[in-house]
């Protein structure tokens, strides 16, 4: 199974809840932080076989794993995303 297939399967197991997702490279470094109203729908978009903007495809090509944090509301996800971006300064958020 390829890395993309593994990530696609993992994304398909995400909850249908709001939250923040954290993309990491092979060294475990955070390369992107994003928020979602529905985690499963948002994260699975990255790993579909569909055309993506160059910047997004470059990020996806560097994703080795991802984590997620479920929040109570979309507003909570927005605040958490902002905090994590300021703290970690991920490459693809800048």
């Amino acid at each position: 199974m390829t890395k993309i297939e593994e990530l696609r399967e993992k994304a398909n197991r995400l909850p249908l809840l709001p939250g923040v997702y954290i993309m990491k490279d092979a060294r475990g470094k955070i390369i992107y932080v994003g928020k979602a109203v529905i985690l499963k729908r948002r994260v699975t978009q990255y790993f579909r076989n569909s055309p993506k903007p160059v910047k997004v495809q470059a990020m996806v090509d560097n994703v080795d794993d991802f984590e997620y944090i479920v929040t109570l509301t979309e507003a909570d996800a927005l605040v958490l995303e902002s905090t994590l971006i300021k703290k970690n300064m991920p490459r693809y958020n800048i």
Side-chain angles (χ1 to χ4, degrees), residues 31-51:
I31 60 172
Y32 187 75
V33 175
K35 68 177 178 330
V37 176
I38 299 174
L39 282 164
K40 181 178 180 176
R41 288 186 190 158
R42 181 68 189 109
V43 177
T44 57
Q45 290 176 345
Y46 288 108
F47 306 115
R48 289 189 186 132
N49 292 328
S50 59

Side-chain angles (χ1 to χ4, degrees), residues 35-84:
K35 68 177 178 330
V37 176
I38 299 174
L39 282 164
K40 181 178 180 176
R41 288 186 190 158
R42 181 68 189 109
V43 177
T44 57
Q45 290 176 345
Y46 288 108
F47 306 115
R48 289 189 186 132
N49 292 328
S50 59
K52 296 168 190 62
V54 173
K55 180 182 172 186
V56 173
Q57 188 61 57
M59 186 268 299
V60 170
D61 291 344
N62 285 295
V63 173
D64 186 68
D65 197 11
F66 66 86
E67 297 176 358
Y68 66 95
I69 301 168
V70 173
T71 59
L72 292 176
T73 67
E74 181 182 359
D76 292 339
L78 178 64
V79 171
L80 180 57
E81 176 196 38
S82 176
T83 301
L84 291 172

Side-chain angles (χ1 to χ4, degrees), residues 1-12:
M1 182 178 294
T2 68
K3 179 52 78 172
I4 289 292
E5 289 169 337
E6 290 175 19
L7 293 168
R8 188 179 301 131
E9 278 192 18
K10 184 175 179 179
N12 281 326

